[in-house]
């Protein structure tokens, strides 16, 4: 059973980086990774993705227009079943508190620790297996 992971980031090189890091998983069909370049686009896709199921959203915090922190309660209201992990270059205590208070399942700092992220993804996959 394949599942979706939605990555939200306005920087175009993020998609290439994630596709490179998870190329074997994507190629084998373990999961599908989709990318949204803005929070509004991510909100639309989060509602639309039903089958295969959306199991995780990874979102940058600092984006033009609607930030990841502004998107977070909206996406949680639409998809309370899908955990959201925020990604930021600023892993200070205030940012972490804001993210958790708004419903984030966790917070990763840039540069991304892909070993830790892979562990998070494996956990989510184990929950739907």
């Amino acid at each position: 059973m394949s599942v979706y992971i939605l990555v939200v980031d306005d920087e175009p090189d993020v998609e290439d980086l994630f596709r490179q890091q998870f190329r074997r998983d994507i190629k084998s069909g373990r999961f599908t990774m989709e990318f949204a370049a803005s929070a509004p686009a991510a909100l639309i896709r989060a509602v639309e993705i039903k089958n295969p199921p959306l199991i995780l959203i990874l979102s940058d915090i600092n984006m033009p227009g609607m930030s990841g922190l502004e998107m977070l309660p909206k996406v949680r209201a639409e998809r309370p079943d899908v955990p959201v992990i925020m990604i930021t270059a600023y892993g200070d205590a205030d940012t972490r508190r804001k993210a958790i208070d708004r419903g984030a399942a966790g917070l990763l700092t840039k540069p991304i620790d892909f070993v830790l992220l892979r562990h998070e993804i494996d956990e989510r996959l184990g929950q739907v297996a």
Side-chain angles (χ1 to χ4, degrees), residues 67-128:
S67 75
L69 287 176
E70 292 168 325
M71 176 196 75
L72 186 54
K74 294 176 184 193
V75 79
R76 297 294 299 141
E78 291 290 335
R79 294 299 302 267
D81 57 315
V82 180
V84 180
I85 296 176
M86 304 306 294
I87 301 170
T88 183
Y90 312 102
D92 59 274
D94 187 49
T95 301
R96 182 172 300 280
R97 182 189 50 75
K98 284 179 185 174
I100 300 302
D101 287 352
R102 294 180 187 190
L107 186 121
L108 296 173
T109 55
K110 292 180 180 178
I112 297 169
D113 179 344
F114 281 99
V115 172
L116 180 61
L117 180 53
R118 182 171 294 284
H119 175 74
E120 289 283 345
I121 290 171
D122 288 344
E123 260 187 44
R124 307 298 174 212
L125 290 170
Q127 291 171 3
V128 296

Side-chain angles (χ1 to χ4, degrees), residues 30-83:
R30 187 168 183 236
F31 54 79
T32 299
M33 195 166 267
E34 188 170 318
F35 298 84
S38 69
L43 284 169
I44 291 167
R45 286 304 294 148
V47 171
E48 291 175 344
I49 297 171
K50 299 288 187 214
N51 197 7
L54 179 63
I55 64 158
L56 182 62
I57 297 171
L58 303 167
S59 178
D60 189 23
I61 288 180
N62 293 318
M63 294 182 285
M66 183 188 301
S67 75
L69 287 176
E70 292 168 325
M71 176 196 75
L72 186 54
K74 294 176 184 193
V75 79
R76 297 294 299 141
E78 291 290 335
R79 294 299 302 267
D81 57 315
V82 180

